[in-house]
Amino acid sequence: MPSLSLDCVIFGFHENELKVLLLKMKNMDQWALPGGFIYRDEDIEDAATRVLSERTGLVDIFLQQFKVFGQPNRSEKKYHLNMMKKDGIKVGKDNWIIQRFITVGYYALVDFAVVTPKPDMNSVSCEWHEIHSISELFMDHKNILDHALETLRLQLNHQPIGYNLLPQKFTMPELQKLYETILDKKLDRRNFQRRMNSFGFVKRLKETRKGGAHKAPFLYSFDLRKYKKALQEGLQGGW
Amino acid sequence: MPSLSLDCVIFGFHENELKVLLLKMKNMDQWALPGGFIYRDEDIEDAATRVLSERTGLVDIFLQQFKVFGQPNRSEKKYHLNMMKKDGIKVGKDNWIIQRFITVGYYALVDFAVVTPKPDMNSVSCEWHEIHSISELFMDHKNILDHALETLRLQLNHQPIGYNLLPQKFTMPELQKLYETILDKKLDRRNFQRRMNSFGFVKRLKETRKGGAHKAPFLYSFDLRKYKKALQEGLQGGW
């Protein structure tokens, strides 16, 4: 499809940090969000699923469209022209690739442990970056990332965000850290635990997490049926 | 811009009914959502504002992008070909108008009383329709409307929906009816009133609404500063 692309903000959670999957583009200093074009007969949702599966090796991913970015000056004509020239491809001034593009932003939540990052044809590497370490990105990608984070924050009470970002078994401090990172604020440990337990969809297992310096903390897992039911109405209360 | 359009779901509230502004298209039995194309150098937000102002006569409207509709089979090639033929315009098979279009859905909230509906060049009339009376629309517009309603429901605690849909002065039963319509369920009168008062952004005026069969109810208005502050954190609790 002419004029239209998509960009994916792929979130993962690892060692108490929220991370985003970024591509280092060929002949460029900047990092970029994974993205792609839409085939002429392709559903836009299918295109997003395709890009995600190519970059992460996963097929069944939690994926949400969140915003269209349509400012006239957002396309990087110069970059595309340069890249084509370096690859020895001649591009006329009416070529579709250097026209204005409007992009659809998607965010995805993945289990960090099972992802195998893979660069695309325009990039040399594909790596996780901790969200606070990212100050600049290709084109308007930093703006797209910021909007994705804001969307996560707004959807905490309506989407199974914890379920999709955490491994199957997790500790209460890990869950709290995830909420604190998304909300960008400290939460009281006791209140958080009491509140989470009151929802009834987090169940404590008999196992504990061994190997830390402190007393081994209990492991928890989500009761997905109860989680989804609670999210339908929206979790009660703010954080 | 080729391949890309936008469609607007314009909500208004009148006589305790939630309504949507629809167009009756030329030579067609079906009604459609107001929509339009995006000029080559136009920000997509500006394009939506332009379409809204053309249809409603208003310039300062609450407007939110909510979803992209990108299924390959959603365009109505036949309709466009027919319309062109009736207008005596010849269209080649590569013409941009009969290609596949992806559309960006916007919803708008307006004060019913100040809108002057105006048809566009492809339509013969522009009228308000009560949302429950709408069973079928042009192309996938019914699907777009349903998604807009779902978005309203999810955003009740995060966007100034009451403020934008109600006149400056309203009664508590009117506010309750608006919430009931959007949530599609009955709410308890006392609980609703208690809850609304607890937020602190609805203030009771000294005036009453005169002329009804019952005891004249008090009028209320929003304290916009307090309303916006409360929405930033999200209103506490579900409905």
Side-chain angles (χ1 to χ4, degrees):
Chain A
M1 301 274 300
S3 318
L4 206 66
S5 63
L6 61 93
D7 286 295
C8 297
V9 182
I10 307 174
F11 290 108
F13 193 68
H14 184 60
E15 293 184 341
N16 277 336
E17 288 183 345
L18 187 62
K19 292 167 192 282
V20 169
L21 203 58
L22 296 178
L23 296 169
K24 179 70 171 279
M25 302 174 82
K26 278 181 194 167
N27 311 313
M28 292 276 288
D29 290 331
Q30 284 166 310
W31 292 80
L33 295 172
F37 301 115
I38 298 140
Y39 294 132
R40 283 201 183 273
D41 292 320
E42 191 177 33
D43 190 314
I44 188 165
E45 302 289 320
D46 295 341
T49 307
R50 174 173 55 76
V51 168
L52 275 168
S53 111
E54 287 169 0
R55 296 289 76 71
T56 63
L58 303 181
V59 285
D60 194 16
I61 290 184
F62 177 90
L63 179 66
Q64 289 268 317
Q65 203 191 82
F66 69 95
K67 191 173 161 59
V68 178
F69 298 85
Q71 291 177 289
N73 58 357
R74 64 168 297 282
S75 302
E76 199 78 31
K77 202 194 266 195
K78 227 169 29 185
Y79 161 74
H80 287 292
L81 279 174
N82 264 336
M83 196 168 65
M84 296 290 171
K85 203 190 262 173
K86 277 174 185 155
D87 285 351
I89 300 166
K90 276 208 177 125
V91 177
K93 73 176 175 37
D94 292 330
N95 191 290
W96 71 288
I97 194 80
I98 56 166
Q99 303 304 309
R100 171 185 172 194
F101 271 83
I102 284 174
T103 200
V104 185
Y106 283 84
Y107 78 86
L109 307 177
V110 302
D111 180 356
F112 181 92
V114 297
V115 170
T116 314
K118 208 179 127 191
D120 67 11
M121 56 179 285
N122 298 320
S123 56
V124 288
S125 61
C126 182
E127 286 170 22
W128 290 103
H129 290 247
E130 196 271 322
I131 54 158
H132 291 107
S133 72
I134 302 164
S135 58
E136 203 196 42
L137 291 173
F138 180 59
M139 274 173 59
D140 59 348
H141 289 192
K142 179 64 165 68
N143 180 40
I144 297 175
L145 168 60
D146 290 343
H147 271 95
L149 268 171
E150 172 70 12
T151 306
L152 269 199
R153 192 177 71 78
L154 288 173
Q155 296 190 344
L156 256 185
N157 285 358
H158 296 283
Q159 296 287 359
I161 289 171
Y163 175 79
N164 284 290
L165 280 175
L166 290 170
Q168 214 193 333
K169 297 171 186 180
F170 51 87
T171 65
M172 197 51 85
E174 285 164 355
L175 183 60
Q176 181 175 341
K177 188 69 197 174
L178 174 62
Y179 270 70
E180 288 180 338
T181 309
I182 292 173
L183 294 165
D184 202 17
K185 69 179 176 194
K186 274 273 171 204
L187 299 172
D188 177 74
R189 190 181 62 84
R190 274 161 182 267
N191 283 343
F192 181 81
Q193 188 146 355
R194 191 179 305 127
R195 190 109 182 268
M196 267 299 157
N197 286 328
S198 77
F199 294 141
F201 54 69
V202 181
K203 56 180 187 229
R204 196 170 87 173
L205 306 175
K206 292 206 172 103
E207 309 162 59
T208 55
R209 164 77 46 84
K210 304 235 161 55
H214 305 285
K215 183 169 164 278
F218 274 105
L219 287 169
Y220 289 76
S221 76
F222 287 107
D223 182 324
L224 190 55
R225 199 183 53 81
K226 287 187 186 161
Y227 196 3
K228 284 193 169 161
K229 192 154 178 289
L231 290 170
Q232 263 177 8
E233 287 277 304
L235 302 191
Q236 306 291 305
W239 291 99
Chain B
M1 301 272 302
S3 318
L4 205 67
S5 62
L6 61 91
D7 286 294
C8 297
V9 183
I10 307 174
F11 289 108
F13 192 68
H14 185 60
E15 292 183 342
N16 277 336
E17 287 183 344
L18 187 62
K19 292 166 191 282
V20 168
L21 203 57
L22 296 178
L23 296 169
K24 180 67 171 280
M25 302 174 82
K26 278 182 194 168
N27 311 314
M28 292 277 288
D29 289 330
Q30 285 166 309
W31 291 80
L33 295 171
F37 300 115
I38 297 139
Y39 295 132
R40 282 203 182 270
D41 292 320
E42 192 177 34
D43 190 316
I44 188 165
E45 302 289 320
D46 294 341
T49 307
R50 174 173 55 76
V51 167
L52 275 168
S53 111
E54 286 168 2
R55 297 290 76 71
T56 63
L58 303 181
V59 285
D60 193 17
I61 289 185
F62 178 89
L63 177 67
Q64 288 268 317
Q65 202 191 83
F66 68 94
K67 193 174 160 57
V68 178
F69 299 86
Q71 290 177 291
N73 59 357
R74 62 169 299 283
S75 303
E76 198 79 32
K77 203 195 267 196
K78 226 171 28 190
Y79 161 74
H80 287 291
L81 278 174
N82 264 335
M83 196 166 63
M84 296 290 171
K85 203 191 260 171
K86 277 175 183 153
D87 285 350
I89 301 167
K90 275 207 176 130
V91 177
K93 74 174 173 40
D94 292 331
N95 191 291
W96 71 289
I97 194 81
I98 56 167
Q99 304 305 308
R100 172 186 172 194
F101 270 85
I102 285 175
T103 200
V104 185
Y106 282 84
Y107 79 85
L109 307 176
V110 302
D111 179 357
F112 181 92
V114 297
V115 170
T116 315
K118 208 178 130 193
D120 67 12
M121 57 178 285
N122 298 320
S123 57
V124 288
S125 61
C126 182
E127 286 171 21
W128 290 103
H129 290 247
E130 197 273 320
I131 54 158
H132 290 107
S133 72
I134 303 165
S135 58
E136 203 196 41
L137 291 173
F138 180 58
M139 275 173 56
D140 60 345
H141 289 191
K142 180 65 165 65
N143 180 40
I144 297 175
L145 168 60
D146 290 343
H147 270 94
L149 268 170
E150 172 70 13
T151 305
L152 269 199
R153 192 178 71 78
L154 288 174
Q155 296 190 343
L156 255 185
N157 285 357
H158 296 283
Q159 296 287 359
I161 289 171
Y163 175 80
N164 284 290
L165 280 174
L166 290 170
Q168 214 193 333
K169 297 171 184 180
F170 52 86
T171 66
M172 196 53 84
E174 284 164 357
L175 183 60
Q176 181 175 340
K177 187 69 196 174
L178 174 62
Y179 270 71
E180 288 181 340
T181 309
I182 291 173
L183 294 165
D184 202 17
K185 68 178 175 193
K186 274 273 173 205
L187 300 171
D188 177 73
R189 191 180 62 84
R190 276 161 180 266
N191 284 344
F192 181 81
Q193 188 145 355
R194 191 180 305 128
R195 189 110 183 269
M196 268 297 157
N197 286 328
S198 77
F199 293 141
F201 55 68
V202 180
K203 54 179 189 231
R204 196 171 88 173
L205 307 174
K206 291 204 172 105
E207 309 161 58
T208 55
R209 164 78 44 84
K210 306 239 161 50
H214 304 286
K215 182 167 165 280
F218 274 103
L219 287 170
Y220 290 77
S221 76
F222 287 106
D223 182 323
L224 189 56
R225 197 183 55 80
K226 288 186 186 161
Y227 195 2
K228 285 195 170 162
K229 194 154 176 289
L231 291 170
Q232 263 177 9
E233 286 278 305
L235 302 189
Q236 306 291 306
W239 292 97

